[in-house]
Amino acid sequence: MLRIKKAKLILLLLAGAVLPQLVNAQQQLTLKDALTFALQHNSNMRKARLDIEGGRYKVEEVRAQALPQLTGTAGLTYNPIIGQQVVDFGGQLQTLKFGQKWNSSAGVQLSQQLFNQQVFTGLQAAKSSEEYYNLTAQLTEEQLIELVANNYYQVLVTRQQLEVIDNNIKNVKVVENIVNVQYKNGLAKKIDVDRIKVNLTNLNTQREQVINGITQLENQLKYAMGMPVATAIILPATELTQVSTLPQLADAVDLSNRTEIKLLDNQDKLLSLQRKAYVSEYYPTLALTGNYTYSSQSKSFDFLNSSSSAIGFGSSAVGLTLRVPIFNGFLTRSKVRQADVAIKKAKEDRTNTTNALNLAYENAKIQLRDNLATINAQRKNAELAQEIYKSTQNNYNNGLASLTDLLETENSLTQAQNSYTQALLNYKIAEIQLIKSNGNIKSLVQ
């Protein structure tokens, strides 16, 4: 009984821990919530943060080349046959053995770069590389915000299309009841009943297709966010608000705040440092070296003069090593010229990127104006289609309009409502592009 009570208690604690998560999973997901979740859980965003961490370690790797290098050595050698040397003593040749059967040694070696332009240039490049990873992560963040926002609005628009279909199904069912009554009373033909059924079947089919489309779009949204696909989400319909006026549009956009331009600036700096590193191969290098070694020799097994019969002695040296490059077959010259070509290509990339960013801004302004005009026109068109449908439905009930007229006005109403909803989506996407062009895409998260 005690074990059963403990098991029940554990289950209650687990339920208490899981239940809040389930409740939170069912909460409405605003655009800000979706973007915040994506920035924390998207795999590309996590990899970008890991790149930043790796960049810091890369700086440490390059910095290590400028620090003292200390190496320890140890060795043990057994000579089964000791080498001999021939020596002339007063005209008589004699052989002498040099060394013992067991030789051992241990020591340390120190090296410090005093002047190495390649190492110093590499330190500057490493710091710029760290900045590059930070900018790359920032660009990944902006691209993720744009992707999630676009997917988010696509889900909202498709949900509104589902509402349009549901309203149309209700309207057709009302007409269906009227036609059935008229058919029973001999006031309608069998073909009218069949036409209504066909229309209703088509609407139900469209409804299923839209529902499946919503599910796919939601899965796509959750995938972009880094959220498990099985998680249930609810998007508030109020996120897709009506649009009446344009935001303030500048004649030109300031590109200095764009991450793409900052990346190009960083790339130019890295390419210049790369060229400088190649030129540094022409420079001499100067290094401080030092070592200390203790050696021991013995007839029997011994390591570092551990026995009384062994002979041990130490040695040390301190020096400077100067390396002066003279000729390497024009290898350095070829590297420098390749770096010059890379710098020229970077200038072309800057020109192309600048034109592309300006083009995106101008297109966003045009799309905003066009979409706003389309929204206003389609809003009035949808209202007019609604009035025409109600008037035609009233005329049909009074025998003043045919069923064909009613079905045609119903189709026109559906098209007008869907066109209005699509115009809202196009405006939102263009608005996101405009915000991105101004370098303020992160404002969607705030």
Side-chain angles (χ1 to χ4, degrees):
M1 289 296 294
L2 182 59
R3 290 183 178 179
I4 295 176
K5 289 183 179 179
K6 288 183 177 180
K8 290 182 178 180
L9 179 60
I10 293 175
L11 289 175
L12 288 175
L13 292 175
L14 290 175
V18 174
L19 185 58
Q21 297 180 3
L22 296 176
V23 172
N24 291 333
Q26 295 294 330
Q27 288 182 350
Q28 289 188 341
L29 185 69
T30 64
L31 176 60
K32 181 180 179 180
D33 295 336
L35 295 176
T36 302
F37 188 95
L39 294 177
Q40 295 176 355
H41 299 87
N42 179 269
S43 60
N44 290 333
M45 200 64 240
R46 290 182 174 181
K47 288 167 61 178
R49 284 191 284 266
L50 289 175
D51 287 338
I52 294 177
E53 182 179 357
R56 290 196 295 267
Y57 298 143
K58 185 65 177 179
V59 174
E60 295 179 2
E61 175 188 349
V62 177
R63 186 183 293 116
Q65 301 178 25
L67 297 177
Q69 308 294 312
L70 186 62
T71 306
T73 59
L76 178 64
T77 304
Y78 173 68
N79 300 307
I81 300 177
I82 300 175
Q84 302 182 46
Q85 294 288 337
V86 178
V87 183
D88 186 353
F89 285 100
Q92 295 183 356
L93 298 179
Q94 297 183 8
T95 60
L96 299 176
K97 292 183 178 180
F98 288 88
Q100 298 288 334
K101 287 189 175 182
W102 290 94
N103 298 328
S104 60
S105 64
V108 291
Q109 296 178 352
L110 174 67
S111 176
Q112 171 63 54
Q113 295 287 343
L114 299 180
F115 178 80
N116 192 327
Q117 188 62 37
Q118 294 185 50
V119 173
F120 301 151
T121 304
L123 288 173
Q124 298 176 357
K127 295 178 180 178
S128 297
S129 298
E130 186 176 9
E131 180 184 358
Y132 169 81
Y133 288 121
N134 287 326
L135 290 173
T136 302
Q138 182 176 337
L139 182 61
T140 301
E141 181 177 324
E142 294 175 359
Q143 293 173 343
L144 178 61
I145 292 174
E146 179 185 4
L147 175 63
V148 173
N150 288 337
N151 290 341
Y152 188 92
Y153 285 124
Q154 286 178 354
V155 174
L156 289 179
V157 167
T158 310
R159 285 185 177 275
Q160 288 195 0
Q161 292 176 353
L162 179 62
E163 294 179 3
V164 171
I165 293 178
D166 288 338
N167 292 330
N168 292 336
I169 289 176
K170 292 179 181 179
N171 294 333
V172 173
K173 285 184 177 180
V174 172
V175 177
E176 182 185 32
N177 293 332
I178 295 174
V179 172
N180 285 331
V181 173
Q182 291 177 345
Y183 176 71
K184 291 179 182 179
N185 295 328
L187 300 177
K189 299 178 181 180
K190 179 65 166 58
I191 191 173
D192 295 335
V193 177
D194 294 338
R195 290 178 64 186
I196 291 295
K197 289 182 179 180
V198 170
N199 195 22
L200 189 59
T201 300
N202 290 336
L203 287 173
N204 286 324
T205 301
Q206 293 178 13
R207 186 179 188 277
E208 291 299 323
Q209 292 175 349
V210 172
I211 290 176
N212 293 334
I214 291 174
T215 302
Q216 293 176 1
L217 289 173
E218 286 182 348
N219 291 339
Q220 184 176 343
L221 172 63
K222 287 182 283 188
Y223 175 78
M225 294 168 52
M227 176 182 289
V229 178
T231 304
I233 59 175
I234 301 175
L235 276 60
T238 54
E239 284 287 335
L240 193 61
T241 57
Q242 295 183 353
V243 181
S244 57
T245 58
L246 283 172
Q248 186 176 0
L249 302 176
D251 295 334
V253 61
D254 182 13
L255 298 180
S256 61
N257 196 35
R258 291 296 298 269
T259 305
E260 292 89 342
I261 299 299
K262 293 180 180 179
L263 272 172
L264 290 176
D265 294 338
N266 181 263
Q267 181 184 13
D268 292 342
K269 185 176 181 180
L270 287 173
L271 290 175
S272 297
L273 289 173
Q274 180 65 68
R275 185 185 186 281
K276 186 177 179 181
Y278 290 150
V279 174
S280 299
E281 295 182 8
Y282 289 120
Y283 298 169
T285 61
L286 182 64
L288 172 67
T289 60
N291 64 77
Y292 174 81
T293 304
Y294 183 83
S295 303
S296 174
Q297 297 183 2
S298 177
K299 294 181 180 180
S300 59
F301 175 79
D302 177 72
F303 186 73
L304 298 182
N305 197 18
S306 60
S307 65
S308 58
S309 62
I311 300 175
F313 53 90
S315 63
S316 63
V318 178
L320 293 174
T321 301
L322 177 65
R323 177 181 174 272
V324 181
I326 298 176
F327 180 72
N328 60 0
F330 303 110
L331 175 63
T332 302
R333 186 184 69 175
S334 299
K335 291 181 179 180
V336 173
R337 290 180 177 179
Q338 291 180 51
D340 291 335
V341 173
I343 291 174
K344 293 178 181 179
K345 290 175 62 178
K347 291 181 179 179
E348 296 297 329
D349 291 339
R350 175 180 292 274
T351 301
N352 184 60
T353 301
T354 301
N355 290 335
L357 294 177
N358 286 324
L359 175 63
Y361 177 71
E362 294 299 327
N363 286 344
K365 291 195 298 182
I366 294 173
Q367 291 173 2
L368 278 178
R369 294 190 183 99
D370 291 346
N371 289 327
L372 180 59
T374 303
I375 287 173
N376 294 331
Q378 290 299 332
R379 182 189 296 117
K380 295 178 181 179
N381 192 37
E383 293 173 354
L384 180 59
Q386 182 70 33
E387 294 177 1
I388 294 174
Y389 178 78
K390 289 181 179 179
S391 177
T392 305
Q393 186 179 36
N394 184 57
N395 291 337
Y396 176 79
N397 295 335
N398 295 322
L400 300 177
S402 65
L403 180 61
T404 300
D405 296 335
L406 181 61
L407 294 179
E408 288 180 353
T409 55
E410 186 268 332
N411 289 331
S412 298
L413 175 61
T414 301
Q415 293 177 3
Q417 290 173 333
N418 287 333
S419 297
Y420 172 69
T421 305
Q422 186 64 38
L424 283 176
L425 174 62
N426 294 338
Y427 182 90
K428 285 296 183 181
I429 292 177
E431 186 180 45
I432 293 172
Q433 286 296 323
L434 181 69
I435 296 174
K436 179 182 177 182
S437 299
N438 292 327
N440 299 321
I441 191 68
K442 292 184 179 180
S443 62
L444 296 177
V445 189
Q446 298 173 357

